[in-house]
Amino acid sequence: MKDEELEQYLEAGRIAARTLHAGAAMVKPGRSVLEVVDGIEAMILEAGAEIAFPLNLSFNEDAAHDTASAGDERTFSAGDLIKLDLGVAIDGRIADTALSVDLSGHDALVAASAAALDRAIALVRPGVTASELGAAIQAEIEGRGFLPVANLTGHGLAPYQIHTAPTIPNVGIAGGAVLEEGMAIAIEPFATTGSGRVSDRMRTEIYQQIAIKPVRLPSAKRILGEIRERRGMPFSRRWLPQEKVEIALSTLLKSGVLYGYPVLHDVAGSFVSQAEHTLIVTADGCIVTTHHG
């Protein structure tokens, strides 16, 4: 990795860490979800960076991929466990980081995903396999009486690309990619009181352009114009002109131009915590770009 590219990753990480912790302080009982999401995304833009993906703000048994909808009327309540997962890009170099905000009663679960992340980071260096990281994450979470979410993973990062190889599992698996110097990776353990697997909800607020094809519908063309500058990075339905947005999105999904990310949830009544950092693998270990403070 060239020095200039590393500095972009580091700058994205500094902005991401600062923004995530400032955003976490905004999550309080009675506050508006829409106000918090808009506020956190505005902080990224005010810092002179790009939003790498819409702020994920997921409640309780929901693990990932929720965000505010246009006109969202939800508020936070005492007892909620909120995951904040944000992405910052500088010239396409991405910092992806997350934490869990406990609005009471979930300290041990929040500590489990955070400790699992620390344990995995301590192992990172060239030659270590992704499966070794997964086994360490699983052992830490299960040792605290919870389950890791087996079908969610960490991932590699590349310019303008949120999810690339290698996959970093949250459980021990056979084989797995070998870490190499210069890799940018995000490790994101999820701990749950539920089943240890997530499934799709009907709700989808986050989309990504995955193909370029001609479209005839004017409202669909308008959406493609709106998202062109994102260069394939995910976007929120909330960011789009709302007139005829449903028809346009439906058309673009059916034609394979867009991909939708449904909200992912564990079983009703369960709680999921998340922690995440972005790292650059170095010759003798790693640099955590999203370390706070």
Side-chain angles (χ1 to χ4, degrees):
M1 186 177 293
K2 297 192 177 103
D3 287 355
E4 180 189 4
E5 190 175 15
L6 177 60
E7 184 46 48
Q8 289 168 333
Y9 273 114
L10 293 173
E11 177 62 12
R14 286 190 285 269
I15 294 168
R18 193 168 68 229
T19 306
L20 184 66
H21 287 266
M26 296 164 65
V27 177
K28 293 191 165 64
R31 286 290 295 272
S32 149
V33 168
L34 182 57
E35 185 185 315
V36 168
V37 172
D38 279 346
I40 294 171
E41 289 182 349
M43 281 187 233
I44 297 171
L45 298 174
E46 282 158 15
E50 285 182 281
I51 299 167
F53 55 85
L55 178 75
N56 281 213
L57 186 155
S58 305
F59 276 75
N60 303 330
E61 73 263 31
D62 292 343
H65 298 167
D66 201 357
T67 191
S69 51
D72 203 315
E73 294 183 356
R74 291 178 296 171
T75 57
F76 302 106
S77 303
D80 282 339
L81 179 56
I82 305 298
K83 279 71 65 188
L84 291 180
D85 185 347
L86 64 79
V88 170
I90 300 279
D91 197 21
R93 274 61 181 186
I94 294 166
D96 184 357
T97 185
L99 53 65
S100 300
V101 183
D102 178 14
L103 297 181
S104 110
H106 310 288
D107 323 20
L109 183 62
V110 171
S113 51
L117 177 58
D118 289 343
R119 186 160 163 185
I121 289 170
L123 296 175
V124 172
R125 64 184 187 281
V128 168
T129 65
S131 54
E132 289 173 78
L133 302 183
I137 288 167
Q138 181 173 8
E140 188 66 41
I141 291 171
E142 290 181 352
R144 291 163 179 263
F146 304 106
L147 289 175
V149 176
N151 59 338
L152 287 175
T153 66
H155 48 88
L157 295 157
Y160 296 99
Q161 292 179 278
I162 307 288
H163 292 126
T164 63
T167 294
I168 312 289
N170 288 320
V171 292
I173 57 164
V178 178
L179 299 187
E180 297 172 18
E181 184 178 355
M183 276 182 174
I185 59 171
I187 302 176
E188 51 179 324
F190 292 82
T192 180
T193 63
S195 70
R197 294 191 75 80
V198 291
S199 54
D200 294 351
R201 280 203 190 282
M202 294 296 289
R203 176 179 170 84
T204 303
E205 292 292 334
I206 296 173
Y207 301 86
Q208 182 175 13
Q209 184 172 357
I210 55 168
I212 297 170
K213 295 180 185 175
V215 294
R216 297 171 69 177
L217 193 70
S219 56
K221 280 185 181 167
R222 189 164 68 235
I223 285 180
L224 294 180
E226 290 280 331
I227 64 169
R228 186 171 293 123
E229 288 180 13
R230 296 208 48 76
R231 297 179 62 169
M233 294 190 295
F235 63 93
S236 168
R237 178 201 306 255
R238 165 175 44 89
W239 298 350
L240 302 172
Q242 294 301 301
E243 187 195 353
K244 297 185 180 164
V245 72
E246 296 304 322
I247 300 167
L249 287 172
S250 171
T251 301
L252 291 166
L253 287 165
K254 279 189 190 128
S255 64
V257 173
L258 295 187
Y259 176 80
Y261 290 91
V263 175
L264 299 173
H265 70 111
D266 203 334
V267 292
S270 65
F271 290 91
V272 178
S273 71
Q274 177 193 18
E276 180 179 21
H277 276 310
T278 293
L279 307 87
I280 307 294
V281 182
T282 60
D284 56 356
C286 66
I287 299 165
V288 180
T289 69
T290 49
H291 188 68
H292 182 62

PDB file of all heavy atoms in Angstrom, residues 68-88:
ATOM      1  N   ALA A  68     -32.773   5.109   9.068  1.00  0.00           N
ATOM      2  CA  ALA A  68     -34.011   5.887   9.095  1.00  0.00           C
ATOM      3  C   ALA A  68     -34.639   5.919   7.707  1.00  0.00           C
ATOM      4  O   ALA A  68     -33.945   5.990   6.696  1.00  0.00           O
ATOM      5  CB  ALA A  68     -33.720   7.304   9.563  1.00  0.00           C
ATOM      6  N   SER A  69     -35.969   5.858   7.682  1.00  0.00           N
ATOM      7  CA  SER A  69     -36.692   6.085   6.427  1.00  0.00           C
ATOM      8  C   SER A  69     -37.069   7.566   6.371  1.00  0.00           C
ATOM      9  O   SER A  69     -36.994   8.275   7.379  1.00  0.00           O
ATOM     10  CB  SER A  69     -37.948   5.214   6.393  1.00  0.00           C
ATOM     11  OG  SER A  69     -38.703   5.387   7.570  1.00  0.00           O
ATOM     12  N   ALA A  70     -37.464   8.048   5.197  1.00  0.00           N
ATOM     13  CA  ALA A  70     -37.952   9.419   5.076  1.00  0.00           C
ATOM     14  C   ALA A  70     -39.208   9.534   5.950  1.00  0.00           C
ATOM     15  O   ALA A  70     -40.096   8.694   5.859  1.00  0.00           O
ATOM     16  CB  ALA A  70     -38.270   9.737   3.624  1.00  0.00           C
ATOM     17  N   GLY A  71     -39.247  10.523   6.812  1.00  0.00           N
ATOM     18  CA  GLY A  71     -40.422  10.687   7.680  1.00  0.00           C
ATOM     19  C   GLY A  71     -40.498   9.671   8.816  1.00  0.00           C
ATOM     20  O   GLY A  71     -41.567   9.477   9.404  1.00  0.00           O
ATOM     21  N   ASP A  72     -39.380   9.033   9.143  1.00  0.00           N
ATOM     22  CA  ASP A  72     -39.349   8.009  10.204  1.00  0.00           C
ATOM     23  C   ASP A  72     -39.821   8.613  11.529  1.00  0.00           C
ATOM     24  O   ASP A  72     -39.307   9.644  11.961  1.00  0.00           O
ATOM     25  CB  ASP A  72     -37.907   7.492  10.355  1.00  0.00           C
ATOM     26  CG  ASP A  72     -37.838   6.109  10.969  1.00  0.00           C
ATOM     27  OD1 ASP A  72     -38.543   5.856  11.960  1.00  0.00           O
ATOM     28  OD2 ASP A  72     -37.058   5.282  10.460  1.00  0.00           O
ATOM     29  N   GLU A  73     -40.777   7.962  12.169  1.00  0.00           N
ATOM     30  CA  GLU A  73     -41.320   8.495  13.434  1.00  0.00           C
ATOM     31  C   GLU A  73     -40.834   7.722  14.650  1.00  0.00           C
ATOM     32  O   GLU A  73     -41.281   7.975  15.772  1.00  0.00           O
ATOM     33  CB  GLU A  73     -42.856   8.492  13.376  1.00  0.00           C
ATOM     34  CG  GLU A  73     -43.378   9.472  12.335  1.00  0.00           C
ATOM     35  CD  GLU A  73     -44.897   9.543  12.292  1.00  0.00           C
ATOM     36  OE1 GLU A  73     -45.557   8.779  13.020  1.00  0.00           O
ATOM     37  OE2 GLU A  73     -45.403  10.379  11.518  1.00  0.00           O
ATOM     38  N   ARG A  74     -39.905   6.775  14.462  1.00  0.00           N
ATOM     39  CA  ARG A  74     -39.430   5.994  15.609  1.00  0.00           C
ATOM     40  C   ARG A  74     -38.600   6.855  16.565  1.00  0.00           C
ATOM     41  O   ARG A  74     -37.907   7.785  16.136  1.00  0.00           O
ATOM     42  CB  ARG A  74     -38.584   4.811  15.133  1.00  0.00           C
ATOM     43  CG  ARG A  74     -39.379   3.739  14.408  1.00  0.00           C
ATOM     44  CD  ARG A  74     -38.486   2.616  13.911  1.00  0.00           C
ATOM     45  NE  ARG A  74     -37.527   3.071  12.911  1.00  0.00           N
ATOM     46  CZ  ARG A  74     -36.524   2.347  12.442  1.00  0.00           C
ATOM     47  NH1 ARG A  74     -36.322   1.122  12.892  1.00  0.00           N
ATOM     48  NH2 ARG A  74     -35.711   2.838  11.524  1.00  0.00           N
ATOM     49  N   THR A  75     -38.658   6.491  17.837  1.00  0.00           N
ATOM     50  CA  THR A  75     -37.815   7.117  18.855  1.00  0.00           C
ATOM     51  C   THR A  75     -37.145   6.009  19.666  1.00  0.00           C
ATOM     52  O   THR A  75     -37.552   4.842  19.601  1.00  0.00           O
ATOM     53  CB  THR A  75     -38.626   8.013  19.804  1.00  0.00           C
ATOM     54  OG1 THR A  75     -39.660   7.216  20.402  1.00  0.00           O
ATOM     55  CG2 THR A  75     -39.261   9.189  19.073  1.00  0.00           C
ATOM     56  N   PHE A  76     -36.125   6.365  20.418  1.00  0.00           N
ATOM     57  CA  PHE A  76     -35.429   5.406  21.280  1.00  0.00           C
ATOM     58  C   PHE A  76     -36.157   5.290  22.617  1.00  0.00           C
ATOM     59  O   PHE A  76     -36.743   6.261  23.085  1.00  0.00           O
ATOM     60  CB  PHE A  76     -33.989   5.857  21.517  1.00  0.00           C
ATOM     61  CG  PHE A  76     -33.203   6.027  20.249  1.00  0.00           C
ATOM     62  CD1 PHE A  76     -32.893   7.294  19.763  1.00  0.00           C
ATOM     63  CD2 PHE A  76     -32.786   4.925  19.522  1.00  0.00           C
ATOM     64  CE1 PHE A  76     -32.179   7.461  18.586  1.00  0.00           C
ATOM     65  CE2 PHE A  76     -32.066   5.071  18.338  1.00  0.00           C
ATOM     66  CZ  PHE A  76     -31.762   6.344  17.875  1.00  0.00           C
ATOM     67  N   SER A  77     -36.075   4.105  23.217  1.00  0.00           N
ATOM     68  CA  SER A  77     -36.701   3.864  24.523  1.00  0.00           C
ATOM     69  C   SER A  77     -35.683   3.249  25.473  1.00  0.00           C
ATOM     70  O   SER A  77     -34.743   2.568  25.041  1.00  0.00           O
ATOM     71  CB  SER A  77     -37.871   2.877  24.398  1.00  0.00           C
ATOM     72  OG  SER A  77     -38.822   3.346  23.478  1.00  0.00           O
ATOM     73  N   ALA A  78     -35.900   3.465  26.782  1.00  0.00           N
ATOM     74  CA  ALA A  78     -35.066   2.800  27.796  1.00  0.00           C
ATOM     75  C   ALA A  78     -35.151   1.293  27.560  1.00  0.00           C
ATOM     76  O   ALA A  78     -36.218   0.762  27.263  1.00  0.00           O
ATOM     77  CB  ALA A  78     -35.561   3.161  29.189  1.00  0.00           C
ATOM     78  N   GLY A  79     -34.000   0.608  27.680  1.00  0.00           N
ATOM     79  CA  GLY A  79     -33.965  -0.841  27.470  1.00  0.00           C
ATOM     80  C   GLY A  79     -33.593  -1.251  26.064  1.00  0.00           C
ATOM     81  O   GLY A  79     -33.301  -2.424  25.819  1.00  0.00           O
ATOM     82  N   ASP A  80     -33.581  -0.297  25.113  1.00  0.00           N
ATOM     83  CA  ASP A  80     -33.164  -0.620  23.738  1.00  0.00           C
ATOM     84  C   ASP A  80     -31.659  -0.881  23.686  1.00  0.00           C
ATOM     85  O   ASP A  80     -30.882  -0.296  24.462  1.00  0.00           O
ATOM     86  CB  ASP A  80     -33.469   0.550  22.786  1.00  0.00           C
ATOM     87  CG  ASP A  80     -34.931   0.636  22.378  1.00  0.00           C
ATOM     88  OD1 ASP A  80     -35.639  -0.383  22.474  1.00  0.00           O
ATOM     89  OD2 ASP A  80     -35.357   1.733  21.959  1.00  0.00           O
ATOM     90  N   LEU A  81     -31.265  -1.731  22.761  1.00  0.00           N
ATOM     91  CA  LEU A  81     -29.852  -1.943  22.441  1.00  0.00           C
ATOM     92  C   LEU A  81     -29.679  -1.559  20.979  1.00  0.00           C
ATOM     93  O   LEU A  81     -30.223  -2.206  20.084  1.00  0.00           O
ATOM     94  CB  LEU A  81     -29.453  -3.401  22.674  1.00  0.00           C
ATOM     95  CG  LEU A  81     -27.999  -3.757  22.358  1.00  0.00           C
ATOM     96  CD1 LEU A  81     -27.025  -2.882  23.136  1.00  0.00           C
ATOM     97  CD2 LEU A  81     -27.728  -5.226  22.642  1.00  0.00           C
ATOM     98  N   ILE A  82     -28.941  -0.481  20.746  1.00  0.00           N
ATOM     99  CA  ILE A  82     -28.846   0.127  19.411  1.00  0.00           C
ATOM    100  C   ILE A  82     -27.450  -0.095  18.842  1.00  0.00           C
ATOM    101  O   ILE A  82     -26.444   0.207  19.488  1.00  0.00           O
ATOM    102  CB  ILE A  82     -29.121   1.652  19.492  1.00  0.00           C
ATOM    103  CG1 ILE A  82     -30.471   1.935  20.156  1.00  0.00           C
ATOM    104  CG2 ILE A  82     -29.026   2.287  18.103  1.00  0.00           C
ATOM    105  CD1 ILE A  82     -31.673   1.378  19.428  1.00  0.00           C
ATOM    106  N   LYS A  83     -27.392  -0.650  17.631  1.00  0.00           N
ATOM    107  CA  LYS A  83     -26.128  -0.774  16.908  1.00  0.00           C
ATOM    108  C   LYS A  83     -25.981   0.401  15.957  1.00  0.00           C
ATOM    109  O   LYS A  83     -26.872   0.644  15.147  1.00  0.00           O
ATOM    110  CB  LYS A  83     -26.069  -2.073  16.082  1.00  0.00           C
ATOM    111  CG  LYS A  83     -25.705  -3.329  16.854  1.00  0.00           C
ATOM    112  CD  LYS A  83     -26.786  -3.806  17.795  1.00  0.00           C
ATOM    113  CE  LYS A  83     -28.038  -4.238  17.060  1.00  0.00           C
ATOM    114  NZ  LYS A  83     -29.148  -4.528  18.003  1.00  0.00           N
ATOM    115  N   LEU A  84     -24.855   1.116  16.065  1.00  0.00           N
ATOM    116  CA  LEU A  84     -24.510   2.173  15.113  1.00  0.00           C
ATOM    117  C   LEU A  84     -23.320   1.681  14.304  1.00  0.00           C
ATOM    118  O   LEU A  84     -22.280   1.356  14.874  1.00  0.00           O
ATOM    119  CB  LEU A  84     -24.096   3.454  15.838  1.00  0.00           C
ATOM    120  CG  LEU A  84     -25.157   4.231  16.612  1.00  0.00           C
ATOM    121  CD1 LEU A  84     -24.510   5.459  17.257  1.00  0.00           C
ATOM    122  CD2 LEU A  84     -26.297   4.652  15.708  1.00  0.00           C
ATOM    123  N   ASP A  85     -23.473   1.633  12.989  1.00  0.00           N
ATOM    124  CA  ASP A  85     -22.424   1.131  12.091  1.00  0.00           C
ATOM    125  C   ASP A  85     -22.277   2.157  10.980  1.00  0.00           C
ATOM    126  O   ASP A  85     -23.226   2.406  10.234  1.00  0.00           O
ATOM    127  CB  ASP A  85     -22.855  -0.243  11.559  1.00  0.00           C
ATOM    128  CG  ASP A  85     -21.791  -0.931  10.715  1.00  0.00           C
ATOM    129  OD1 ASP A  85     -20.808  -0.277  10.313  1.00  0.00           O
ATOM    130  OD2 ASP A  85     -21.963  -2.131  10.436  1.00  0.00           O
ATOM    131  N   LEU A  86     -21.103   2.797  10.911  1.00  0.00           N
ATOM    132  CA  LEU A  86     -20.956   3.864   9.914  1.00  0.00           C
ATOM    133  C   LEU A  86     -19.728   3.667   9.056  1.00  0.00           C
ATOM    134  O   LEU A  86     -18.765   2.999   9.449  1.00  0.00           O
ATOM    135  CB  LEU A  86     -20.973   5.247  10.567  1.00  0.00           C
ATOM    136  CG  LEU A  86     -19.893   5.693  11.532  1.00  0.00           C
ATOM    137  CD1 LEU A  86     -18.640   6.130  10.800  1.00  0.00           C
ATOM    138  CD2 LEU A  86     -20.390   6.880  12.351  1.00  0.00           C
ATOM    139  N   GLY A  87     -19.779   4.256   7.875  1.00  0.00           N
ATOM    140  CA  GLY A  87     -18.684   4.177   6.918  1.00  0.00           C
ATOM    141  C   GLY A  87     -18.311   5.559   6.421  1.00  0.00           C
ATOM    142  O   GLY A  87     -19.185   6.357   6.074  1.00  0.00           O
ATOM    143  N   VAL A  88     -17.013   5.817   6.387  1.00  0.00           N
ATOM    144  CA  VAL A  88     -16.477   7.098   5.917  1.00  0.00           C
ATOM    145  C   VAL A  88     -15.500   6.798   4.782  1.00  0.00           C
ATOM    146  O   VAL A  88     -14.680   5.876   4.905  1.00  0.00           O
ATOM    147  CB  VAL A  88     -15.738   7.823   7.065  1.00  0.00           C
ATOM    148  CG1 VAL A  88     -14.957   9.025   6.547  1.00  0.00           C
ATOM    149  CG2 VAL A  88     -16.724   8.257   8.148  1.00  0.00           C
TER     150      VAL A  88
END
